[in-house]
DNA sequence: AACGCGCCCTGTCCGC
DNA sequence: TGCGGACAGGGCGCGT
């Protein structure tokens, strides 16, 4: 569930709480959230005694930079949460998969109802490789209209599916893909390589404005997402089309938002503002 | 080799 | 009230 804005919200909350603290111990309750090649004992042995030097975000991933150098990456999947608390706080969470004990007596808890999340442990070198496989950060200067247009021309996939591929643009999920396509007036089923230069520029701007606004609102909560302190995100009321089937088009064009299915996942569209044949 | 699909797992909601 | 089916912010591995 968490997309870029939700991961960013988690990172901002975590940074001030865990930076500078050492991990004293690790308790693995559900080993299936560990990457398949990550042995639980190795994770515990490697993390004991390392200090958190910084907390960053890459795509939808929370990245803990450790000292001595190592990288702990958490992909939150659909229902992952990271919370700093004590034993009492742990009682509020029903699905803690991994607990990291910190040297100040607090605990960093990874809770994940569906356990689709994944925890990876990297050396600085393997992290560099892993990161290189992720696409361009949509809020970075490198994400230019020209670059987006050029990338889309190499694929015939529906543009909504195309946007979900983390190897191209990193951090976009189903909510913000749909929101940005609405802002850009592009139908989500359009082949990526049918997107024109002007449309690519609108899509790029739409993605950036939606992501920035969602970060400012501390993310979108549909049901499970919570920030570090347990607060829901504030962006849900501002969603234009996602989850709004049957409601009037937010652009007041007189049309009605429809739910369609593309690649086994919901897409939301105003058929009048986002013509199928468009371009 | 790009792309579509099924699947991983738990919870909630809706219709019968 | 109970039960089955649909659906959920993701991503991997498979077959074509």
């Amino acid at each position: 569930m968490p997309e870029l804005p939700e991961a960013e919200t988690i990172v901002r909350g975590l940074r001030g709480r865990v930076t500078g603290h050492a991990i004293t111990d690790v308790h693995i309750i559900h080993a299936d959230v560990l990457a398949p090649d990550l042995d639980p004992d190795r994770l515990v042995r490697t993390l004991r005694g390392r200090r958190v030097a910084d907390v960053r975000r890459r795509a939808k991933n929370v990245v803990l930079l450790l000292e001595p150098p190592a990288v702990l990456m958490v992909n939150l999947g659909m229902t992952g949460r990271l919370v700093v608390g004590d034993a009492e706080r742990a009682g509020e969470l029903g699905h803690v998969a991994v607990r990291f004990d910190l040297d100040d007596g607090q605990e960093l808890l990874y809770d994940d109802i569906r356990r689709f999340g994944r925890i990876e442990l990297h050396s600085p070198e393997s992290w560099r490789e892993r990161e290189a496989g992720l696409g361009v950060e949509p809020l970075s200067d490198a994400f230019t209209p020209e670059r987006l247009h050029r990338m889309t021309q190499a694929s015939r996939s529906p543009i909504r599916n195309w946007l979900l591929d983390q190897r191209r643009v990193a951090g976009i999920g189903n909510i913000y893909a749909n929101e940005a396509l609405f802002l850009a007036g592009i139908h989500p089923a359009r082949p990526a390589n049918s997107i024109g230069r002007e449309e690519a520029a609108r899509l790029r701007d739409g993605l950036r404005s939606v992501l920035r606004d969602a970060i400012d609102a501390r993310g979108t909560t549909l049901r499970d997402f919570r920030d570090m302190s347990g607060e829901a995100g504030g962006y849900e009321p501002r969603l234009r089309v996602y989850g709004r089937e049957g409601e009037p088009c937010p652009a007041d064009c007189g049309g009605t938002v429809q739910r369609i299915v593309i690649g086994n996942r919901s897409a939301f569209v105003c058929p009048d503002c986002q013509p199928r044949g468009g371009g």
Side-chain angles (χ1 to χ4, degrees), chain A residues 67-141:
Chain A
E67 189 62 41
V71 178
L72 186 68
M73 194 209 84
V74 180
N75 182 291
L76 301 162
M78 292 281 264
T79 50
R81 293 176 57 179
L82 280 167
V83 170
V84 176
D86 49 26
E88 200 150 331
R89 187 79 196 280
E92 303 170 14
L93 304 169
H95 304 271
V96 175
V98 182
R99 193 177 88 225
F100 306 89
D101 297 341
L102 303 178
D103 64 1
D104 61 352
Q106 303 239 76
E107 300 167 335
L108 172 59
L109 302 162
Y110 179 64
D111 183 276
D112 191 345
I113 297 171
R114 295 175 73 179
R115 301 198 300 280
F116 284 178
R118 296 186 75 182
I119 294 178
E120 300 176 17
L121 177 65
H122 290 280
S123 66
E125 294 74 31
S126 76
W127 172 241
R128 211 172 300 133
E129 282 176 39
R130 175 75 167 87
E131 205 186 356
L134 295 169
V136 61
E137 283 289 328
L139 294 176
S140 74
D141 291 343

Side-chain angles (χ1 to χ4, degrees), chain A residues 143-161:
Chain A
F143 188 55
T144 62
E146 298 75 27
R147 181 164 174 180
L148 176 60
H149 181 253
R150 188 175 356 106
M151 288 192 298
T152 57
Q153 300 310 293
S155 170
R156 303 174 303 115
S157 289
I159 186 66
R160 198 289 312 270
N161 295 6

Side-chain angles (χ1 to χ4, degrees), chain A residues 123-267:
Chain A
S123 66
E125 294 74 31
S126 76
W127 172 241
R128 211 172 300 133
E129 282 176 39
R130 175 75 167 87
E131 205 186 356
L134 295 169
V136 61
E137 283 289 328
L139 294 176
S140 74
D141 291 343
F143 188 55
T144 62
E146 298 75 27
R147 181 164 174 180
L148 176 60
H149 181 253
R150 188 175 356 106
M151 288 192 298
T152 57
Q153 300 310 293
S155 170
R156 303 174 303 115
S157 289
I159 186 66
R160 198 289 312 270
N161 295 6
W162 189 92
L163 286 168
L164 299 184
D165 188 336
Q166 301 299 298
R167 295 168 302 183
R168 294 161 175 155
V169 184
I172 312 299
N174 205 25
I175 292 182
Y176 302 112
N178 279 282
E179 293 295 298
L181 287 166
F182 171 77
L183 286 180
I186 299 171
H187 193 284
R190 292 256 313 275
N193 63 3
S194 76
I195 305 298
R197 286 181 185 286
E198 198 61 33
E199 290 175 319
R202 293 205 305 267
L203 181 54
R204 179 256 191 190
D205 292 346
L207 283 166
R208 287 162 72 102
S209 77
V210 154
L211 294 172
R212 277 199 275 252
D213 289 350
I215 289 172
D216 288 348
R218 306 175 57 80
T220 299
T221 297
L222 295 185
R223 51 203 127 242
D224 302 305
F225 172 72
R226 293 289 185 282
D227 70 10
M228 271 259 321
S229 42
E231 293 289 309
Y235 197 71
E236 192 280 334
R238 296 173 55 189
L239 294 175
R240 292 163 172 93
V241 291
Y242 188 92
R244 305 237 179 276
E245 180 181 22
E247 296 183 24
C249 170
D252 289 327
C253 77
T256 301
V257 176
Q258 291 183 358
R259 173 184 176 273
I260 59 177
V261 175
I262 305 171
N264 284 329
R265 300 186 73 181
S266 293

